[in-house]
Amino acid sequence: MEKLVIKGGKTLQGSLRISGSKNAALPVILASILVDGPILYKNVPRLRDINTTNKLLKILGCPAAFTNESGNDVCAEAKRLMPEAPYDLVKTMRASVLVLGPLLARLGQAKVALPGGCAIGARPVDLHLKALERMGAEFELDSGYIFGRCKELRGADINFDFPTVGGTENLLMAASLAKGRTILRNAAREPEVADLANFLVACGAKITGIGSDTLHIEGVQSLKGCEYSIMPDRIEAGTFMAAAAITGGELLLEQCPQEELSAVMAKMHDMGVAFSAKPEGLLVSGTEPIKAADIVTKPHPGFPTDMQAQLMALMCLAAGSSTVEETIFENRFMHVPELNRMGADIHLSGNKAVVRGGKKLAGAPVMASDLRASASLVLAGLAAKNETHVQRIYHLDRGYEHIEHKLNAVGAEISREKDPDAPA
Ligand code: EPU
């Protein structure tokens, strides 16, 4: 196992290019199952989760791979499709459950390991299954697997109880090749869902209402391969905004998806961070003292749960008390005890946290527990005096492309080292 060793207290300055979005790339590449002919994906981030996606697609008979050692192009083409997504892969990446809709649409059957819970919550897939049942699929849960079958998928009028991101994506894919018209109401409006819809349209799908909470999909007979560029990663961009602010620095973010970050930028603006649009990108200035703020996580366009942990790190330095309410996941506060070990003063009560700011953070050995919690520990380490050792960074490698190289290029001092003390 590896750890990151961060020598804190450096002010970040310079330009960073935002990578392609992990949460857009995963469903878009998995959608290759639906398509006849080769697809070339551009701007794909080189991440562990993308490698897992490529492995899973290979097993399903739809080989996908980066076209060279270091670039960001992935090619994929569905060949002889197979219906089984094994537990070994699904357990390492919950997004694997997104093959359910495409496999049912293409093969009329699917056997996908039940993803189970993870560090941030139980994360059931009941809403995916209920909606696919409305389209004519039948499911059986047995021996840790979801067995799905259908004679054909038929268009249906579906109203989600909650605007689930993965559920909306699974149904968008299934409905694209279903017979007749599907309406998805109370659909997730996350930009990554729109990116998937735009990809499907580029392949010949008929989808309207993209970006809204009501999607209309007219099923087509087949989809054709195309070239598609993945949208930039709004959560990586938001994390770098927080990095500028927490170090009192200034970063120019190239390819920053500003519109998709409006809730995050509005909150950071309230906290004293300044933004200005430049021809080359978005300039983020964190040179003013940080002010306290209150956030409540909500589905898009509300404040994203994926930026909650990073803003909490920033709140530790703010003058005054801040509050955070997490409404999307039931257990997304694993960063709290670790931040407290670095000198933060955060009290948890149920799904609410009170952050008493104005603290000086001090480096400590800390343990990453999930992707965004890990990012918040890296941010805290950038601001802390002395060295912070972030253990279990495989979480970070799932979602941030070359994070230490990127941050070092703008003045951070971070090294990746073998971790002889890694907990089992
Ligand atoms: N939920 C259900 N039943 C379902 C589906 C969801 O109860 O059938 C609940 C979940 O348990 C959760 C909430 O609804 O409490 C939100 O789940 P959603 O389906 O919207 O999220 P997801 O598709 O599992 C994606 C991202 C997450 C991001 C969330 C919310 C991907 C691969 N993952 O997850 O990203 O936090 O949407 O925006 O796109 C991350 O990148 O760190 C990450 C966790």
Side-chain angles (χ1 to χ4, degrees):
M1 275 217 220
E2 292 177 319
K3 63 179 174 180
L4 288 185
V5 178
I6 305 168
K7 289 203 174 90
K10 319 276 177 213
T11 303
L12 301 191
Q13 203 93 41
S15 302
L16 285 175
R17 189 172 178 280
I18 302 307
S19 296
S21 159
K22 166 185 86 89
N23 287 349
L26 298 179
V28 170
I29 298 176
L30 290 172
S32 310
I33 295 171
L34 295 165
V35 178
D36 291 325
I39 309 162
L40 181 63
Y41 298 106
K42 306 280 223 185
N43 204 33
V44 180
R46 295 194 80 101
L47 300 171
R48 270 170 62 117
D49 274 7
I50 300 295
N51 294 335
T52 308
T53 299
N54 290 348
K55 266 191 219 160
L56 175 61
L57 282 172
K58 192 169 170 210
I59 289 174
L60 295 174
C62 178
F66 281 102
T67 56
N68 62 37
E69 288 293 298
S70 59
N72 294 97
D73 290 358
V74 164
C75 60
E77 184 172 0
K79 306 268 190 199
R80 205 166 147 262
L81 290 172
M82 307 295 282
E84 181 174 342
Y87 179 59
D88 272 2
L89 289 176
V90 177
K91 76 175 181 206
T92 63
M93 189 185 72
R94 293 181 42 86
S96 309
V97 78
L98 295 177
V99 301
L100 202 53
L103 288 175
L104 284 170
R106 284 308 295 266
L107 299 176
Q109 56 168 319
K111 178 182 173 190
V112 178
L114 256 174
C118 73
I120 61 177
R123 304 183 76 180
V125 290
D126 55 320
L127 302 176
H128 302 225
L129 302 187
K130 206 169 127 189
L132 287 166
E133 276 170 357
R134 302 259 305 122
M135 300 188 71
E138 287 174 5
F139 295 103
E140 216 180 294
L141 304 184
D142 191 19
S143 314
Y145 275 83
I146 305 168
F147 292 83
R149 263 185 201 289
C150 59
K151 280 207 189 72
E152 61 176 13
L153 286 177
R154 295 181 305 274
D157 192 331
I158 292 162
N159 200 329
F160 285 109
D161 291 339
F162 176 85
T164 156
V165 172
T168 306
E169 291 167 345
N170 234 334
L171 268 287
L172 255 179
M173 292 188 274
S176 291
L177 287 184
K179 200 167 180 190
R181 163 171 279 237
T182 300
I183 305 175
L184 302 178
R185 303 180 196 274
N186 198 24
R189 284 184 283 170
E190 269 65 6
E192 295 76 15
V193 175
D195 210 38
L196 172 64
N198 288 330
F199 165 70
L200 292 168
V201 168
C203 295
K206 292 195 176 144
I207 304 172
T208 56
I210 297 173
S212 80
D213 64 358
T214 308
L215 294 158
H216 291 250
I217 307 115
E218 195 69 53
V220 295
Q221 288 277 328
S222 63
L223 297 172
K224 295 272 166 282
C226 68
E227 188 177 307
Y228 191 78
S229 187
I230 305 292
M231 66 173 283
D233 196 313
R234 64 189 169 112
I235 306 301
E236 187 201 32
T239 303
F240 291 151
M241 289 173 180
I246 210 162
T247 63
E250 203 164 61
L251 292 176
L252 181 82
L253 303 182
E254 294 164 20
Q255 312 246 41
C256 178
Q258 279 184 61
E259 257 180 51
E260 288 78 10
L261 273 162
S262 54
V264 172
M265 287 167 64
K267 203 46 84 176
M268 290 179 84
H269 179 262
D270 293 346
M271 295 177 83
V273 182
F275 298 96
S276 53
K278 303 282 171 201
E280 316 80 44
L282 181 74
L283 186 66
V284 187
S285 292
T287 47
E288 295 297 316
I290 299 166
K291 296 182 209 147
D294 301 317
I295 61 175
V296 182
T297 63
K298 287 272 161 70
H300 193 78
F303 188 92
T305 172
D306 290 344
M307 278 301 299
Q308 179 257 101
Q310 299 90 315
L311 268 259
M312 203 186 279
L314 195 53
M315 288 169 175
C316 296
L317 306 192
S321 280
S322 301
T323 60
V324 175
E325 186 177 342
E326 172 59 55
T327 74
I328 306 294
F329 291 106
E330 62 270 33
N331 188 27
R332 210 175 197 182
F333 281 134
M334 273 88 54
H335 41 289
V336 168
E338 301 301 298
L339 289 172
N340 282 345
R341 296 186 62 248
M342 296 178 71
D345 182 358
I346 309 171
H347 288 260
L348 270 183
S349 169
N351 70 334
K352 294 194 182 117
V354 176
V355 187
R356 293 204 186 88
K359 305 293 171 210
K360 294 242 180 304
L361 298 177
V366 286
M367 201 156 71
S369 50
D370 74 87
L371 174 55
R372 309 305 170 186
S374 317
S376 87
L377 298 177
V378 170
L379 291 171
L382 290 173
K385 66 172 189 200
N386 304 331
E387 277 187 3
T388 299
H389 292 226
V390 184
Q391 298 181 318
R392 293 197 177 175
I393 52 163
Y394 54 86
H395 292 292
L396 210 53
D397 293 336
R398 293 185 55 188
Y400 289 90
E401 192 178 36
H402 313 305
I403 190 163
E404 74 268 31
H405 299 160
K406 282 188 163 180
L407 290 172
N408 286 346
V410 291
E413 213 178 313
I414 306 178
S415 55
R416 182 180 286 255
E417 297 179 7
K418 285 261 169 299
D419 188 1
D421 306 321

